[in-house]
Amino acid sequence: LIIFDRDGTINLDPNGYTHLKSQCKIYDDVFSFFSSLDTNINICVITNQSGIGRGYYTEKDMHEFNREINKILRLKTMHRGIDHFFFCPHVPSDKCNCRKPSNQLVKRALEFFKCKPHEALLIGDKLSDFEAGSSAGVKSILLNREKKLDLIKLNNLNVDSCDSLDFNYFNKYLV
């Protein structure tokens, strides 16, 4: 099982709260990554979507955006795309138990796919992604796409990171 964060990991998220399918832009390395993947590997997304809780967009808008991600992935690769999207619609002040860095979305994904934590890999772009995965026992790696991560801090926290979604780098975790 590969568990992805969505915004900033799979799709560009220039201003936050990305939800319009007309603005759905996928990072180029996502296409090569999906093209290289064994189609037997389950793939899901866990994503905080507080724009729903803030009233910026609806759950329907988010689902349409997710369908657009899969449509683009299927057009540009031979892969079936993302099998399932798990999301938290709450704002931080709701203090829910599903918003990352809580590991509840990760646990739901593991349960949904009947997967043990050591058989999964989480790929995200924020420390909250790493914390959600690692606290559930899942190997977690951060993408430092726009060189925004503090590598010294990450190193001190023993966080693995890389600059792009390079299949050769991640393949060692998929065996």
Side-chain angles (χ1 to χ4, degrees), residues 54-89:
R54 297 174 200 275
Y56 298 164
Y57 52 91
T58 65
E59 196 172 307
K60 180 179 180 236
D61 294 331
M62 180 206 60
H63 289 303
E64 286 177 6
F65 189 87
N66 292 344
R67 281 192 290 277
E68 186 69 11
I69 289 173
N70 267 338
K71 177 181 167 191
I72 294 169
L73 285 172
R74 290 176 186 136
L75 282 172
K76 297 212 176 196
T77 72
M78 295 299 288
H79 200 278
R80 71 182 176 279
I82 297 162
D83 299 305
H84 200 80
F85 291 82
F86 299 91
F87 68 98
C88 168

Short mmCIF file of all heavy atoms in Angstrom, two decimals, residues 54-89:
data_model
loop_
_atom_site.label_atom_id
_atom_site.label_comp_id
_atom_site.label_asym_id
_atom_site.label_seq_id
_atom_site.Cartn_x
_atom_site.Cartn_y
_atom_site.Cartn_z
N ARG A 54 -14.18 25.36 6.31
CA ARG A 54 -14.15 26.83 6.27
C ARG A 54 -15.20 27.39 5.31
O ARG A 54 -15.39 28.60 5.24
CB ARG A 54 -12.76 27.31 5.83
CG ARG A 54 -11.64 26.94 6.77
CD ARG A 54 -10.28 27.33 6.18
NE ARG A 54 -9.19 26.61 6.79
CZ ARG A 54 -8.58 26.96 7.91
NH1 ARG A 54 -8.96 28.04 8.55
NH2 ARG A 54 -7.60 26.23 8.40
N GLY A 55 -15.87 26.52 4.55
CA GLY A 55 -16.89 26.97 3.62
C GLY A 55 -16.33 27.47 2.30
O GLY A 55 -17.06 28.09 1.51
N TYR A 56 -15.05 27.23 2.00
CA TYR A 56 -14.45 27.69 0.74
C TYR A 56 -14.92 26.85 -0.44
O TYR A 56 -14.95 27.32 -1.57
CB TYR A 56 -12.93 27.63 0.80
CG TYR A 56 -12.31 28.52 1.84
CD1 TYR A 56 -10.99 28.32 2.23
CD2 TYR A 56 -13.00 29.57 2.45
CE1 TYR A 56 -10.39 29.12 3.19
CE2 TYR A 56 -12.41 30.38 3.40
CZ TYR A 56 -11.09 30.15 3.76
OH TYR A 56 -10.50 30.94 4.70
N TYR A 57 -15.23 25.59 -0.19
CA TYR A 57 -15.73 24.68 -1.23
C TYR A 57 -16.47 23.55 -0.55
O TYR A 57 -16.44 23.41 0.67
CB TYR A 57 -14.60 24.15 -2.13
CG TYR A 57 -13.43 23.53 -1.41
CD1 TYR A 57 -13.40 22.17 -1.14
CD2 TYR A 57 -12.34 24.30 -1.01
CE1 TYR A 57 -12.32 21.59 -0.48
CE2 TYR A 57 -11.26 23.73 -0.37
CZ TYR A 57 -11.25 22.38 -0.11
OH TYR A 57 -10.18 21.81 0.54
N THR A 58 -17.16 22.76 -1.35
CA THR A 58 -18.00 21.69 -0.80
C THR A 58 -17.28 20.34 -0.91
O THR A 58 -16.29 20.19 -1.64
CB THR A 58 -19.33 21.58 -1.57
OG1 THR A 58 -19.04 21.18 -2.92
CG2 THR A 58 -20.07 22.91 -1.57
N GLU A 59 -17.84 19.36 -0.22
CA GLU A 59 -17.33 18.00 -0.33
C GLU A 59 -17.46 17.52 -1.78
O GLU A 59 -16.58 16.83 -2.29
CB GLU A 59 -18.11 17.09 0.64
CG GLU A 59 -17.43 15.78 0.89
CD GLU A 59 -18.13 14.99 1.99
OE1 GLU A 59 -18.34 15.52 3.09
OE2 GLU A 59 -18.46 13.81 1.71
N LYS A 60 -18.55 17.91 -2.43
CA LYS A 60 -18.75 17.54 -3.84
C LYS A 60 -17.62 18.11 -4.71
O LYS A 60 -17.10 17.42 -5.60
CB LYS A 60 -20.11 18.06 -4.32
CG LYS A 60 -20.42 17.74 -5.76
CD LYS A 60 -21.80 18.26 -6.16
CE LYS A 60 -22.05 17.90 -7.61
NZ LYS A 60 -22.37 19.02 -8.44
N ASP A 61 -17.23 19.36 -4.46
CA ASP A 61 -16.12 19.98 -5.20
C ASP A 61 -14.84 19.16 -5.02
O ASP A 61 -14.10 18.92 -5.98
CB ASP A 61 -15.85 21.41 -4.72
CG ASP A 61 -16.98 22.37 -5.02
OD1 ASP A 61 -17.70 22.17 -6.02
OD2 ASP A 61 -17.14 23.33 -4.23
N MET A 62 -14.59 18.73 -3.78
CA MET A 62 -13.39 17.95 -3.50
C MET A 62 -13.42 16.62 -4.25
O MET A 62 -12.43 16.21 -4.85
CB MET A 62 -13.26 17.69 -1.99
CG MET A 62 -12.02 16.88 -1.64
SD MET A 62 -12.18 15.94 -0.11
CE MET A 62 -13.57 14.88 -0.46
N HIS A 63 -14.58 15.94 -4.25
CA HIS A 63 -14.69 14.66 -4.95
C HIS A 63 -14.48 14.85 -6.46
O HIS A 63 -13.84 14.02 -7.11
CB HIS A 63 -16.04 14.00 -4.67
CG HIS A 63 -16.17 13.47 -3.27
ND1 HIS A 63 -15.29 12.56 -2.72
CD2 HIS A 63 -17.08 13.73 -2.31
CE1 HIS A 63 -15.65 12.28 -1.48
NE2 HIS A 63 -16.74 12.99 -1.20
N GLU A 64 -15.01 15.94 -7.01
CA GLU A 64 -14.80 16.23 -8.44
C GLU A 64 -13.33 16.46 -8.73
O GLU A 64 -12.81 16.00 -9.75
CB GLU A 64 -15.63 17.44 -8.87
CG GLU A 64 -17.10 17.15 -8.99
CD GLU A 64 -17.93 18.38 -9.36
OE1 GLU A 64 -17.35 19.46 -9.64
OE2 GLU A 64 -19.18 18.24 -9.37
N PHE A 65 -12.64 17.15 -7.84
CA PHE A 65 -11.20 17.38 -8.00
C PHE A 65 -10.46 16.05 -7.96
O PHE A 65 -9.56 15.79 -8.77
CB PHE A 65 -10.70 18.34 -6.91
CG PHE A 65 -9.29 18.80 -7.12
CD1 PHE A 65 -9.02 19.91 -7.91
CD2 PHE A 65 -8.23 18.14 -6.53
CE1 PHE A 65 -7.72 20.35 -8.10
CE2 PHE A 65 -6.92 18.56 -6.72
CZ PHE A 65 -6.67 19.67 -7.52
N ASN A 66 -10.83 15.18 -7.01
CA ASN A 66 -10.19 13.86 -6.90
C ASN A 66 -10.42 13.04 -8.17
O ASN A 66 -9.50 12.36 -8.65
CB ASN A 66 -10.71 13.10 -5.69
CG ASN A 66 -10.29 13.74 -4.38
OD1 ASN A 66 -9.36 14.56 -4.33
ND2 ASN A 66 -10.96 13.37 -3.31
N ARG A 67 -11.63 13.08 -8.71
CA ARG A 67 -11.91 12.37 -9.97
C ARG A 67 -11.06 12.93 -11.11
O ARG A 67 -10.60 12.18 -11.98
CB ARG A 67 -13.39 12.45 -10.31
CG ARG A 67 -14.24 11.46 -9.51
CD ARG A 67 -15.66 11.33 -10.05
NE ARG A 67 -16.47 12.52 -9.83
CZ ARG A 67 -17.11 12.81 -8.69
NH1 ARG A 67 -17.04 11.99 -7.66
NH2 ARG A 67 -17.83 13.90 -8.59
N GLU A 68 -10.84 14.23 -11.09
CA GLU A 68 -10.01 14.86 -12.12
C GLU A 68 -8.55 14.37 -12.01
O GLU A 68 -7.90 14.12 -13.03
CB GLU A 68 -10.08 16.39 -12.02
CG GLU A 68 -9.37 17.11 -13.14
CD GLU A 68 -10.04 16.97 -14.50
OE1 GLU A 68 -11.18 16.48 -14.59
OE2 GLU A 68 -9.40 17.35 -15.50
N ILE A 69 -8.06 14.24 -10.79
CA ILE A 69 -6.71 13.69 -10.60
C ILE A 69 -6.63 12.32 -11.25
O ILE A 69 -5.71 12.03 -12.03
CB ILE A 69 -6.35 13.60 -9.10
CG1 ILE A 69 -6.12 14.99 -8.51
CG2 ILE A 69 -5.10 12.72 -8.89
CD1 ILE A 69 -5.93 14.99 -6.99
N ASN A 70 -7.59 11.45 -10.96
CA ASN A 70 -7.58 10.11 -11.53
C ASN A 70 -7.74 10.13 -13.05
O ASN A 70 -7.10 9.35 -13.76
CB ASN A 70 -8.63 9.22 -10.88
CG ASN A 70 -8.07 8.44 -9.73
OD1 ASN A 70 -6.86 8.23 -9.63
ND2 ASN A 70 -8.93 8.00 -8.84
N LYS A 71 -8.58 11.02 -13.56
CA LYS A 71 -8.76 11.13 -15.01
C LYS A 71 -7.43 11.47 -15.68
O LYS A 71 -7.05 10.85 -16.68
CB LYS A 71 -9.81 12.20 -15.31
CG LYS A 71 -10.06 12.46 -16.78
CD LYS A 71 -11.10 13.56 -16.95
CE LYS A 71 -11.14 14.05 -18.38
NZ LYS A 71 -11.94 15.27 -18.51
N ILE A 72 -6.72 12.43 -15.13
CA ILE A 72 -5.44 12.85 -15.70
C ILE A 72 -4.42 11.72 -15.58
O ILE A 72 -3.68 11.44 -16.53
CB ILE A 72 -4.94 14.14 -15.01
CG1 ILE A 72 -5.87 15.32 -15.34
CG2 ILE A 72 -3.50 14.46 -15.44
CD1 ILE A 72 -5.64 16.56 -14.51
N LEU A 73 -4.37 11.06 -14.43
CA LEU A 73 -3.42 9.95 -14.24
C LEU A 73 -3.68 8.85 -15.26
O LEU A 73 -2.75 8.29 -15.85
CB LEU A 73 -3.52 9.38 -12.83
CG LEU A 73 -2.88 10.20 -11.72
CD1 LEU A 73 -3.22 9.61 -10.36
CD2 LEU A 73 -1.37 10.27 -11.91
N ARG A 74 -4.95 8.53 -15.48
CA ARG A 74 -5.29 7.45 -16.43
C ARG A 74 -4.99 7.85 -17.87
O ARG A 74 -4.63 7.01 -18.69
CB ARG A 74 -6.76 7.08 -16.27
CG ARG A 74 -7.02 6.37 -14.96
CD ARG A 74 -8.51 6.08 -14.74
NE ARG A 74 -8.72 5.53 -13.41
CZ ARG A 74 -9.68 5.90 -12.59
NH1 ARG A 74 -10.56 6.84 -12.97
NH2 ARG A 74 -9.79 5.36 -11.40
N LEU A 75 -5.13 9.13 -18.19
CA LEU A 75 -4.82 9.61 -19.54
C LEU A 75 -3.32 9.59 -19.83
O LEU A 75 -2.91 9.31 -20.95
CB LEU A 75 -5.34 11.03 -19.75
CG LEU A 75 -6.83 11.20 -20.02
CD1 LEU A 75 -7.21 12.68 -20.01
CD2 LEU A 75 -7.20 10.57 -21.36
N LYS A 76 -2.53 9.91 -18.81
CA LYS A 76 -1.09 10.10 -19.04
C LYS A 76 -0.25 8.90 -18.63
O LYS A 76 0.96 8.91 -18.86
CB LYS A 76 -0.61 11.34 -18.28
CG LYS A 76 -1.28 12.60 -18.79
CD LYS A 76 -0.37 13.77 -18.66
CE LYS A 76 -1.02 14.99 -19.27
NZ LYS A 76 -0.09 16.04 -19.53
N THR A 77 -0.86 7.89 -18.02
CA THR A 77 -0.12 6.68 -17.64
C THR A 77 -0.97 5.47 -17.99
O THR A 77 -2.13 5.60 -18.37
CB THR A 77 0.19 6.64 -16.12
OG1 THR A 77 -1.03 6.38 -15.40
CG2 THR A 77 0.80 7.95 -15.63
N MET A 78 -0.41 4.31 -17.84
CA MET A 78 -1.17 3.07 -18.05
C MET A 78 -1.70 2.56 -16.71
O MET A 78 -2.10 1.41 -16.60
CB MET A 78 -0.27 2.02 -18.71
CG MET A 78 0.16 2.39 -20.11
SD MET A 78 -1.23 2.59 -21.24
CE MET A 78 -1.73 0.91 -21.43
N HIS A 79 -1.66 3.39 -15.69
CA HIS A 79 -2.06 2.99 -14.34
C HIS A 79 -3.54 3.30 -14.11
O HIS A 79 -4.08 4.23 -14.69
CB HIS A 79 -1.19 3.71 -13.31
CG HIS A 79 -1.18 3.04 -11.98
ND1 HIS A 79 -2.17 3.22 -11.06
CD2 HIS A 79 -0.31 2.17 -11.44
CE1 HIS A 79 -1.91 2.50 -10.00
NE2 HIS A 79 -0.79 1.84 -10.19
N ARG A 80 -4.18 2.54 -13.23
CA ARG A 80 -5.60 2.75 -12.93
C ARG A 80 -5.83 3.99 -12.07
O ARG A 80 -6.96 4.45 -11.91
CB ARG A 80 -6.19 1.53 -12.24
CG ARG A 80 -5.72 1.34 -10.80
CD ARG A 80 -6.28 0.09 -10.16
NE ARG A 80 -5.73 -0.09 -8.84
CZ ARG A 80 -4.55 -0.61 -8.57
NH1 ARG A 80 -3.78 -1.03 -9.56
NH2 ARG A 80 -4.13 -0.73 -7.33
N GLY A 81 -4.78 4.50 -11.43
CA GLY A 81 -4.92 5.71 -10.62
C GLY A 81 -5.02 5.39 -9.14
O GLY A 81 -4.57 4.34 -8.67
N ILE A 82 -5.63 6.28 -8.42
CA ILE A 82 -5.73 6.19 -6.96
C ILE A 82 -7.00 5.42 -6.61
O ILE A 82 -8.09 5.74 -7.09
CB ILE A 82 -5.72 7.60 -6.35
CG1 ILE A 82 -4.38 8.27 -6.65
CG2 ILE A 82 -5.99 7.54 -4.84
CD1 ILE A 82 -4.39 9.76 -6.51
N ASP A 83 -6.83 4.39 -5.78
CA ASP A 83 -7.95 3.50 -5.45
C ASP A 83 -8.96 4.13 -4.49
O ASP A 83 -10.15 3.83 -4.58
CB ASP A 83 -7.41 2.20 -4.83
CG ASP A 83 -6.50 1.46 -5.78
OD1 ASP A 83 -6.95 1.17 -6.91
OD2 ASP A 83 -5.35 1.17 -5.41
N HIS A 84 -8.48 4.95 -3.57
CA HIS A 84 -9.39 5.51 -2.57
C HIS A 84 -8.80 6.80 -1.99
O HIS A 84 -7.59 6.92 -1.84
CB HIS A 84 -9.61 4.50 -1.44
CG HIS A 84 -10.84 4.76 -0.64
ND1 HIS A 84 -12.10 4.39 -1.06
CD2 HIS A 84 -11.02 5.38 0.55
CE1 HIS A 84 -12.99 4.76 -0.15
NE2 HIS A 84 -12.36 5.37 0.82
N PHE A 85 -9.68 7.74 -1.69
CA PHE A 85 -9.30 9.01 -1.06
C PHE A 85 -9.93 9.06 0.33
O PHE A 85 -11.15 8.93 0.46
CB PHE A 85 -9.81 10.20 -1.88
CG PHE A 85 -9.13 10.39 -3.20
CD1 PHE A 85 -9.52 9.64 -4.31
CD2 PHE A 85 -8.11 11.31 -3.35
CE1 PHE A 85 -8.91 9.82 -5.54
CE2 PHE A 85 -7.49 11.50 -4.57
CZ PHE A 85 -7.89 10.75 -5.67
N PHE A 86 -9.11 9.26 1.34
CA PHE A 86 -9.59 9.47 2.71
C PHE A 86 -9.32 10.93 3.04
O PHE A 86 -8.25 11.45 2.76
CB PHE A 86 -8.81 8.58 3.69
CG PHE A 86 -8.96 7.10 3.42
CD1 PHE A 86 -8.06 6.45 2.59
CD2 PHE A 86 -9.98 6.37 4.01
CE1 PHE A 86 -8.18 5.09 2.33
CE2 PHE A 86 -10.11 5.01 3.75
CZ PHE A 86 -9.21 4.37 2.91
N PHE A 87 -10.30 11.60 3.67
CA PHE A 87 -10.11 13.03 3.92
C PHE A 87 -10.68 13.44 5.27
O PHE A 87 -11.58 12.82 5.82
CB PHE A 87 -10.77 13.86 2.81
CG PHE A 87 -12.26 13.79 2.79
CD1 PHE A 87 -13.02 14.78 3.37
CD2 PHE A 87 -12.92 12.72 2.20
CE1 PHE A 87 -14.41 14.72 3.37
CE2 PHE A 87 -14.30 12.64 2.18
CZ PHE A 87 -15.05 13.65 2.76
N CYS A 88 -10.12 14.53 5.77
CA CYS A 88 -10.63 15.19 6.96
C CYS A 88 -11.16 16.55 6.52
O CYS A 88 -10.39 17.36 5.99
CB CYS A 88 -9.52 15.37 8.00
SG CYS A 88 -10.01 16.47 9.35
N PRO A 89 -12.44 16.84 6.74
CA PRO A 89 -13.01 18.11 6.31
C PRO A 89 -12.94 19.21 7.38
O PRO A 89 -13.42 20.32 7.16
CB PRO A 89 -14.48 17.75 6.04
CG PRO A 89 -14.76 16.71 7.08
CD PRO A 89 -13.47 15.92 7.22
#
